[in-house]
Amino acid sequence: MEQLHQSIIDAVREAGVIVRSADEDKGVKEKSGHQDLVTRYDGAVQRFLEERLLSLLPEAGFLGEEDAPNHTEREWVFIVDPIDGTTNFIKGIPIVGISVGLAHNGQMEQGVVYNPYTDEMFTARRGHGAFCNGKPISVTSNPLADGISFFGTSLYYPELGDRSFAIAKKLFESSLDVRRLGAASLDLCYVAAGRGECYFECSLFPWDYAAGSLILEEAGGIVTDMTGAPLRYDRKCSLAAANAASHQQLLDLIAGCG
Ligand code: 2AM
Ligand code: CA
Protein backbone atom coordinates (compact mmCIF):
# COMPACT_ATOMS: atom_id res chain seq x y z
CA MET A 1 0.00 0.00 0.00
CA GLU A 2 2.81 2.38 0.87
CA GLN A 3 4.51 1.76 -2.47
CA LEU A 4 1.22 2.28 -4.31
CA HIS A 5 0.66 5.52 -2.36
CA GLN A 6 4.08 6.83 -3.41
CA SER A 7 3.44 5.86 -7.03
CA ILE A 8 0.10 7.70 -6.99
CA ILE A 9 1.86 10.77 -5.60
CA ASP A 10 4.48 10.53 -8.37
CA ALA A 11 1.76 10.29 -11.05
CA VAL A 12 -0.08 13.31 -9.61
CA ARG A 13 3.14 15.34 -9.50
CA GLU A 14 3.72 14.55 -13.18
CA ALA A 15 0.17 15.60 -13.98
CA GLY A 16 1.06 18.89 -12.29
CA VAL A 17 3.75 19.49 -14.90
CA ILE A 18 1.09 19.28 -17.63
CA VAL A 19 -1.09 21.82 -15.77
CA ARG A 20 1.79 24.19 -15.03
CA SER A 21 3.06 24.19 -18.58
CA ALA A 22 -0.36 24.86 -20.14
CA ASP A 23 -0.46 27.29 -23.08
CA GLU A 24 -2.02 30.71 -22.78
CA ASP A 25 -4.72 29.33 -25.12
CA LYS A 26 -6.32 26.64 -22.99
CA GLY A 27 -9.05 25.68 -25.45
CA VAL A 28 -11.94 26.79 -23.22
CA LYS A 29 -15.40 25.41 -23.97
CA GLU A 30 -18.77 25.51 -22.21
CA LYS A 31 -19.97 22.20 -20.76
CA SER A 32 -23.50 22.29 -19.33
CA GLY A 33 -23.73 26.09 -19.50
CA HIS A 34 -22.12 29.51 -19.36
CA GLN A 35 -20.59 29.01 -15.88
CA ASP A 36 -19.57 25.38 -16.43
CA LEU A 37 -16.31 25.51 -18.37
CA VAL A 38 -13.82 22.90 -19.49
CA THR A 39 -10.44 23.19 -21.23
CA ARG A 40 -8.48 20.77 -23.34
CA TYR A 41 -6.23 20.25 -20.32
CA ASP A 42 -9.02 18.76 -18.17
CA GLY A 43 -9.34 15.87 -20.63
CA ALA A 44 -5.60 15.56 -21.25
CA VAL A 45 -4.74 15.38 -17.54
CA GLN A 46 -7.51 12.88 -16.89
CA ARG A 47 -6.33 10.63 -19.75
CA PHE A 48 -2.78 10.79 -18.40
CA LEU A 49 -3.91 9.92 -14.86
CA GLU A 50 -6.29 7.15 -15.96
CA GLU A 51 -3.53 5.42 -17.87
CA ARG A 52 -0.94 5.82 -15.10
CA LEU A 53 -3.22 4.90 -12.20
CA LEU A 54 -4.70 1.85 -13.90
CA SER A 55 -1.23 0.63 -14.74
CA LEU A 56 -0.48 0.75 -10.99
CA LEU A 57 -3.67 -1.13 -10.03
CA PRO A 58 -5.19 -2.79 -13.13
CA GLU A 59 -8.05 -4.37 -11.18
CA ALA A 60 -9.41 -0.94 -10.14
CA GLY A 61 -12.35 0.93 -11.65
CA PHE A 62 -12.14 4.60 -12.54
CA LEU A 63 -14.51 7.51 -11.90
CA GLY A 64 -13.37 10.86 -13.29
CA GLU A 65 -15.06 14.16 -14.04
CA GLU A 66 -14.27 14.27 -17.73
CA ASP A 67 -15.30 10.91 -19.10
CA ALA A 68 -17.62 7.93 -18.74
CA PRO A 69 -17.23 5.92 -15.52
CA ASN A 70 -15.28 2.73 -15.95
CA HIS A 71 -16.11 -0.33 -13.78
CA THR A 72 -17.08 1.64 -10.68
CA GLU A 73 -18.69 -1.52 -9.25
CA ARG A 74 -15.21 -2.93 -8.58
CA GLU A 75 -13.67 -3.41 -5.12
CA TRP A 76 -11.10 -0.67 -5.74
CA VAL A 77 -12.02 2.55 -7.55
CA PHE A 78 -9.94 5.62 -8.36
CA ILE A 79 -12.01 8.81 -8.04
CA VAL A 80 -10.31 11.64 -9.93
CA ASP A 81 -10.74 15.31 -10.66
CA PRO A 82 -7.93 16.14 -13.10
CA ILE A 83 -8.36 19.90 -12.59
CA ASP A 84 -10.41 21.02 -9.61
CA GLY A 85 -10.86 24.75 -9.90
CA THR A 86 -11.14 24.91 -13.68
CA THR A 87 -12.35 28.50 -13.63
CA ASN A 88 -9.31 29.49 -11.52
CA PHE A 89 -7.10 27.62 -14.02
CA ILE A 90 -8.63 29.55 -16.92
CA LYS A 91 -8.34 32.91 -15.15
CA GLY A 92 -4.78 32.37 -13.90
CA ILE A 93 -5.76 32.23 -10.21
CA PRO A 94 -3.23 29.80 -8.69
CA ILE A 95 -5.75 27.79 -6.65
CA VAL A 96 -6.10 24.51 -8.51
CA GLY A 97 -6.16 20.95 -7.21
CA ILE A 98 -5.33 17.72 -8.97
CA SER A 99 -7.35 15.31 -6.89
CA VAL A 100 -6.96 11.52 -6.75
CA GLY A 101 -8.81 9.34 -4.27
CA LEU A 102 -8.71 5.57 -4.01
CA ALA A 103 -11.81 3.92 -2.57
CA HIS A 104 -12.09 0.36 -1.29
CA ASN A 105 -15.65 -0.98 -1.19
CA GLY A 106 -17.01 2.57 -1.01
CA GLN A 107 -14.64 3.80 1.72
CA MET A 108 -11.73 6.15 0.96
CA GLU A 109 -8.36 4.51 1.57
CA GLN A 110 -6.00 7.01 -0.05
CA GLY A 111 -6.20 10.69 -0.96
CA VAL A 112 -3.78 12.92 -2.86
CA VAL A 113 -4.46 16.58 -3.72
CA TYR A 114 -1.75 18.61 -5.43
CA ASN A 115 -1.68 22.31 -6.24
CA PRO A 116 0.89 22.53 -9.04
CA TYR A 117 1.21 26.31 -8.69
CA THR A 118 2.13 26.36 -4.99
CA ASP A 119 3.80 22.93 -5.18
CA GLU A 120 1.79 21.74 -2.17
CA MET A 121 1.15 17.99 -2.10
CA PHE A 122 -1.54 16.99 0.41
CA THR A 123 -1.64 13.26 1.11
CA ALA A 124 -3.32 10.73 3.36
CA ARG A 125 -3.71 6.98 3.81
CA ARG A 126 -6.44 5.71 6.12
CA GLY A 127 -5.04 5.28 9.61
CA HIS A 128 -1.71 6.93 8.82
CA GLY A 129 -2.42 10.64 9.25
CA ALA A 130 -2.39 13.54 6.78
CA PHE A 131 0.58 15.39 5.35
CA CYS A 132 1.52 18.43 3.28
CA ASN A 133 4.79 17.92 1.42
CA GLY A 134 5.59 15.07 3.80
CA LYS A 135 5.02 17.06 7.00
CA PRO A 136 2.12 16.07 9.30
CA ILE A 137 -0.86 18.43 9.27
CA SER A 138 -3.79 18.72 11.65
CA VAL A 139 -6.92 20.76 12.11
CA THR A 140 -7.10 23.52 14.72
CA SER A 141 -9.18 23.31 17.88
CA ASN A 142 -10.66 26.79 17.39
CA PRO A 143 -14.39 27.32 17.75
CA LEU A 144 -16.16 28.92 14.79
CA ALA A 145 -16.00 32.32 16.49
CA ASP A 146 -12.22 32.27 16.06
CA GLY A 147 -12.35 30.61 12.67
CA ILE A 148 -12.13 31.24 8.94
CA SER A 149 -15.07 29.73 7.05
CA PHE A 150 -14.58 28.48 3.50
CA PHE A 151 -17.57 27.96 1.27
CA GLY A 152 -18.46 27.10 -2.31
CA THR A 153 -21.37 28.54 -4.22
CA SER A 154 -22.55 25.44 -6.16
CA LEU A 155 -22.74 27.87 -9.06
CA TYR A 156 -23.94 25.20 -11.47
CA TYR A 157 -27.23 25.12 -9.57
CA PRO A 158 -28.57 28.70 -9.48
CA GLU A 159 -31.49 27.52 -7.34
CA LEU A 160 -28.98 26.85 -4.51
CA GLY A 161 -27.54 30.38 -4.64
CA ASP A 162 -29.82 31.96 -2.03
CA ARG A 163 -29.28 29.10 0.42
CA SER A 164 -25.50 29.13 -0.09
CA PHE A 165 -25.27 32.84 0.55
CA ALA A 166 -27.69 32.73 3.50
CA ILE A 167 -25.42 30.17 5.23
CA ALA A 168 -22.30 32.11 4.20
CA LYS A 169 -23.82 35.31 5.65
CA LYS A 170 -24.46 33.52 8.97
CA LEU A 171 -20.89 32.21 8.97
CA PHE A 172 -19.63 35.71 8.19
CA GLU A 173 -21.47 36.91 11.30
CA SER A 174 -20.43 33.93 13.46
CA SER A 175 -16.75 33.54 12.53
CA LEU A 176 -13.75 35.75 11.78
CA ASP A 177 -14.48 35.94 8.04
CA VAL A 178 -15.41 33.89 4.97
CA ARG A 179 -13.29 32.76 1.97
CA ARG A 180 -14.32 31.30 -1.39
CA LEU A 181 -11.38 29.48 -3.01
CA GLY A 182 -13.15 27.89 -6.01
CA ALA A 183 -11.68 24.39 -5.61
CA ALA A 184 -13.44 22.03 -3.20
CA SER A 185 -10.47 19.66 -2.90
CA LEU A 186 -8.31 22.52 -1.63
CA ASP A 187 -11.03 23.89 0.68
CA LEU A 188 -10.91 20.52 2.45
CA CYS A 189 -7.10 20.47 2.55
CA TYR A 190 -6.96 24.01 3.91
CA VAL A 191 -9.21 23.04 6.82
CA ALA A 192 -7.06 19.92 7.27
CA ALA A 193 -3.94 22.09 7.44
CA GLY A 194 -5.47 24.45 9.99
CA ARG A 195 -5.70 27.40 7.59
CA GLY A 196 -9.40 27.63 8.30
CA GLU A 197 -11.95 25.99 10.57
CA CYS A 198 -14.87 24.93 8.36
CA TYR A 199 -16.15 24.54 4.81
CA PHE A 200 -19.55 23.89 3.30
CA GLU A 201 -21.00 23.56 -0.19
CA CYS A 202 -24.57 22.62 -1.12
CA SER A 203 -23.87 20.23 -4.02
CA LEU A 204 -20.68 18.57 -5.23
CA PHE A 205 -19.67 15.48 -7.17
CA PRO A 206 -17.59 12.69 -5.55
CA TRP A 207 -14.47 13.63 -7.55
CA ASP A 208 -14.53 17.10 -5.94
CA TYR A 209 -14.27 15.74 -2.37
CA ALA A 210 -13.15 12.07 -2.46
CA ALA A 211 -9.45 12.68 -1.80
CA GLY A 212 -9.89 15.81 0.32
CA SER A 213 -12.42 14.18 2.65
CA LEU A 214 -9.92 11.50 3.68
CA ILE A 215 -7.13 14.08 4.07
CA LEU A 216 -9.38 16.12 6.37
CA GLU A 217 -10.43 13.10 8.44
CA GLU A 218 -6.85 11.94 8.80
CA ALA A 219 -5.95 15.46 9.97
CA GLY A 220 -8.50 15.12 12.79
CA GLY A 221 -11.45 16.85 11.11
CA ILE A 222 -15.02 15.72 10.54
CA VAL A 223 -16.81 15.71 7.20
CA THR A 224 -20.45 14.81 6.57
CA ASP A 225 -23.17 16.03 4.30
CA MET A 226 -25.04 19.14 5.42
CA THR A 227 -27.59 17.06 7.37
CA GLY A 228 -24.82 15.30 9.32
CA ALA A 229 -25.12 12.02 7.37
CA PRO A 230 -21.98 10.19 6.16
CA LEU A 231 -20.66 11.16 2.72
CA ARG A 232 -21.39 8.95 -0.27
CA TYR A 233 -18.93 8.45 -3.10
CA ASP A 234 -21.36 7.09 -5.69
CA ARG A 235 -23.47 10.20 -6.22
CA LYS A 236 -23.67 13.95 -5.61
CA CYS A 237 -23.58 15.17 -2.02
CA SER A 238 -23.65 18.36 0.01
CA LEU A 239 -20.64 18.91 2.26
CA ALA A 240 -20.19 20.15 5.83
CA ALA A 241 -16.56 19.89 6.90
CA ALA A 242 -14.86 21.28 9.98
CA ASN A 243 -12.39 20.74 12.75
CA ALA A 244 -13.78 18.47 15.47
CA ALA A 245 -14.44 21.44 17.79
CA SER A 246 -16.83 23.20 15.43
CA HIS A 247 -18.47 20.55 13.21
CA GLN A 248 -21.65 20.32 15.31
CA GLN A 249 -21.78 24.11 15.50
CA LEU A 250 -21.57 24.24 11.71
CA LEU A 251 -24.41 21.68 11.34
CA ASP A 252 -26.57 23.65 13.81
CA LEU A 253 -25.90 26.89 11.97
CA ILE A 254 -26.83 25.24 8.63
CA ALA A 255 -30.01 23.75 10.14
CA GLY A 256 -30.89 27.19 11.48
CA CYS A 257 -30.88 28.53 7.91
CA GLY A 258 -33.85 26.27 6.97
P1 2AM B 1 -14.28 22.07 -10.98
O1 2AM B 1 -13.43 23.25 -10.89
O2 2AM B 1 -13.60 20.79 -11.19
O3 2AM B 1 -15.36 22.32 -12.00
C1 2AM B 1 -16.60 25.23 -6.98
O4 2AM B 1 -17.67 25.62 -6.17
C2 2AM B 1 -16.41 23.73 -6.87
O5 2AM B 1 -17.53 23.05 -7.50
C3 2AM B 1 -15.18 23.30 -7.60
O6 2AM B 1 -14.53 22.32 -6.83
C4 2AM B 1 -15.77 22.76 -8.89
O7 2AM B 1 -14.95 21.83 -9.54
C5 2AM B 1 -17.01 22.08 -8.39
N1 2AM B 1 -17.93 21.68 -9.48
C6 2AM B 1 -17.68 21.64 -10.77
N2 2AM B 1 -18.71 21.23 -11.51
C7 2AM B 1 -19.67 20.99 -10.68
C8 2AM B 1 -21.00 20.56 -10.86
N3 2AM B 1 -21.56 20.36 -12.05
N4 2AM B 1 -21.72 20.38 -9.75
C9 2AM B 1 -21.19 20.63 -8.55
N5 2AM B 1 -19.94 21.07 -8.34
C10 2AM B 1 -19.18 21.26 -9.39
CA1 CA C 1 -12.65 19.48 -12.65
Side-chain angles (χ1 to χ4, degrees):
M1 271 301 132
E2 200 175 331
Q3 182 53 49
L4 174 63
H5 190 54
Q6 192 51 53
S7 301
I8 294 171
I9 292 170
D10 293 344
V12 169
R13 199 183 297 284
E14 273 187 55
V17 176
I18 307 177
V19 171
R20 244 188 345 253
S21 53
D23 296 341
E24 196 71 25
D25 174 10
K26 299 190 168 85
V28 180
K29 280 198 221 125
E30 287 184 13
K31 263 207 298 198
S32 66
H34 175 60
Q35 291 177 310
D36 191 4
L37 303 174
V38 67
T39 72
R40 66 193 143 87
Y41 291 97
D42 297 76
V45 173
Q46 177 157 321
R47 282 191 296 279
F48 169 82
L49 283 171
E50 182 164 4
E51 193 185 319
R52 279 291 289 274
L53 296 171
L54 292 180
S55 77
L56 298 171
L57 193 63
E59 65 269 36
F62 191 92
L63 176 64
E65 177 167 15
E66 305 305 335
D67 218 337
N70 185 351
H71 292 297
T72 52
E73 77 294 350
R74 290 191 178 166
E75 187 178 344
W76 293 94
V77 180
F78 286 107
I79 307 179
V80 172
D81 192 344
I83 299 184
D84 184 40
T86 296
T87 307
N88 286 345
F89 174 62
I90 293 165
K91 295 288 184 188
I93 298 170
I95 304 177
V96 170
I98 299 171
S99 179
V100 172
L102 178 60
H104 183 243
N105 293 327
Q107 172 170 269
M108 297 313 302
E109 282 299 321
Q110 299 201 20
V112 174
V113 175
Y114 180 52
N115 182 341
Y117 297 112
T118 59
D119 196 27
E120 288 182 307
M121 180 72 77
F122 296 93
T123 59
R125 273 196 301 147
R126 178 167 296 280
H128 290 81
F131 301 85
C132 177
N133 292 345
K135 294 201 183 95
I137 52 172
S138 64
V139 295
T140 70
S141 54
N142 295 330
L144 275 193
D146 299 324
I148 286 288
S149 304
F150 297 105
F151 75 111
T153 50
S154 302
L155 68 163
Y156 310 94
Y157 312 101
E159 67 281 11
L160 294 175
D162 286 348
R163 179 159 164 73
S164 300
F165 281 97
I167 298 167
K169 171 93 186 302
K170 266 259 180 276
L171 281 169
F172 169 67
E173 292 162 353
S174 312
S175 65
L176 287 181
D177 202 351
V178 292
R179 298 281 185 275
R180 196 281 192 261
L181 297 181
S185 60
L186 288 172
D187 287 300
L188 290 163
C189 291
Y190 277 29
V191 177
R195 296 174 184 173
E197 278 58 31
C198 74
Y199 162 62
F200 84 91
E201 187 147 2
C202 293
S203 184
L204 289 168
F205 281 109
W207 46 78
D208 296 317
Y209 56 80
S213 64
L214 180 67
I215 293 167
L216 177 62
E217 284 180 348
E218 287 295 320
I222 301 177
V223 52
T224 62
D225 76 8
M226 283 168 52
T227 71
L231 293 186
R232 300 266 310 247
Y233 297 96
D234 55 352
R235 59 162 161 77
K236 283 196 283 194
C237 230
S238 63
L239 232 74
N243 65 15
S246 55
H247 186 258
Q248 188 56 49
Q249 213 187 334
L250 174 65
L251 290 180
D252 293 346
L253 182 146
I254 289 170
C257 289

